[in-house]
Amino acid sequence: MLGETGFVNFLAHLVLAPQTPASLIGSIAPDMIRGPLPADLDDAVMQAAREHRSIDLFTDTHRGLMRTRDRLREIVHPRLTGVLADVLYDHVLARDWARWRSDLFAPYVSNVEANLIAALHYVPEQMRFVVRRMVDEQWLISYATAHGICARLETMSRRLASRIGKPMSLAISKRDLRSIYEPLAGDFGLLWPELLEHVKQQRVERRGCFADPY
């Protein structure tokens, strides 16, 4: 997705990943590296990248996401409902952090950012540039507020329009965000516990390659 928008649901993938530098950076690699992943990636990085794809396959057909995409058809072009849903789910996760996690959001983000910077040597330069920008521009912490997520969606819209050569906006007003937030959070609440269980089961089937998601 980065090739189209430059901004997707990094937070959810980071939270679901094993909390090691290699696994964290691997968990977002499929959205930051254009084309096939390099065959020489570190094993832990590659495993986390494969898990990312398994997570995407699970969520893409989940009833919660399907409901959200239907809600968003009134706001953005139908082709973009999946991308917008991903980003808004990160907003729900960040805003309602205490519902899903026992730690604090800001310290968690700081720790993740430090681990990502420490793991830059695992990935190609094209991805290093984006990770540095993500940290410098504080993408993750911005997910928690309506102002932050709306600003990010405007940035995505500009990049998308530039790449496809015509306007195609992902931007959403704060008013629209307020109007759909509760139903959106309900859809996310259907998805997230089942996604956690899916990730856990996948790891059990791989004979405990990684620890269970938090």
Side-chain angles (χ1 to χ4, degrees):
M1 259 336 153
L2 184 71
E4 294 181 355
T5 63
F7 188 81
V8 286
N9 58 333
F10 298 132
L11 181 61
H13 283 292
L14 289 164
V15 168
L16 291 166
Q19 301 298 290
T20 65
S23 294
L24 286 167
I25 207 157
S27 75
I28 58 174
D31 287 329
M32 286 196 169
I33 297 175
R34 298 185 189 182
L37 295 174
D40 59 351
L41 284 178
D42 175 87
D43 288 346
V45 176
M46 184 64 81
Q47 185 61 64
R50 290 178 181 141
E51 186 171 81
H52 173 119
R53 288 171 172 162
S54 172
I55 288 167
D56 282 351
L57 287 172
F58 180 85
T59 58
D60 284 349
T61 57
H62 192 275
R63 66 193 187 284
L65 181 63
M66 294 298 101
R67 290 181 187 180
T68 294
R69 293 188 67 172
D70 285 342
R71 300 183 201 283
L72 297 176
R73 291 181 190 277
E74 300 298 319
I75 299 174
V76 296
H77 192 285
R79 285 179 53 198
L80 299 177
T81 57
V83 178
L84 182 56
D86 281 351
V87 178
L88 292 180
Y89 274 2
D90 267 2
H91 173 55
V92 173
L93 177 58
R95 178 174 165 175
D96 298 340
W97 186 259
R99 177 182 176 187
W100 306 108
R101 301 272 302 190
S102 60
D103 53 356
L104 297 176
F105 181 57
Y108 173 80
V109 167
S110 294
N111 185 63
V112 164
E113 289 175 340
N115 277 309
L116 290 174
I117 295 299
L120 288 178
H121 63 283
Y122 285 118
V123 295
E125 181 56 40
Q126 61 168 299
M127 180 172 172
R128 296 177 200 173
F129 171 79
V130 182
V131 170
R132 291 190 189 101
R133 190 174 67 199
M134 180 172 68
V135 172
D136 290 344
E137 297 178 4
Q138 297 184 308
W139 293 3
L140 298 178
I141 206 71
S142 75
Y143 290 10
T145 67
H147 174 79
I149 207 71
C150 289
R152 283 294 154 197
L153 287 167
E154 289 178 2
T155 298
M156 286 179 64
S157 296
R158 290 194 295 270
R159 290 177 184 158
L160 180 59
S162 175
R163 284 179 179 158
I164 67 175
K166 63 180 180 180
M168 189 172 285
S169 179
L170 282 159
I172 179 173
S173 70
K174 293 178 185 177
R175 175 184 293 180
D176 283 341
L177 181 57
R178 283 194 300 270
S179 71
I180 66 168
Y181 185 82
E182 291 305 324
L184 189 74
D187 297 341
F188 180 81
L190 289 176
L191 168 66
W192 191 249
E194 294 181 17
L195 179 55
L196 289 173
E197 185 59 31
H198 168 76
V199 173
K200 178 179 178 180
Q201 186 58 40
Q202 290 288 301
R203 292 176 186 172
V204 168
E205 292 174 5
R206 293 198 303 271
R207 298 181 181 179
C209 291
F210 293 143
D212 292 344
Y214 65 94

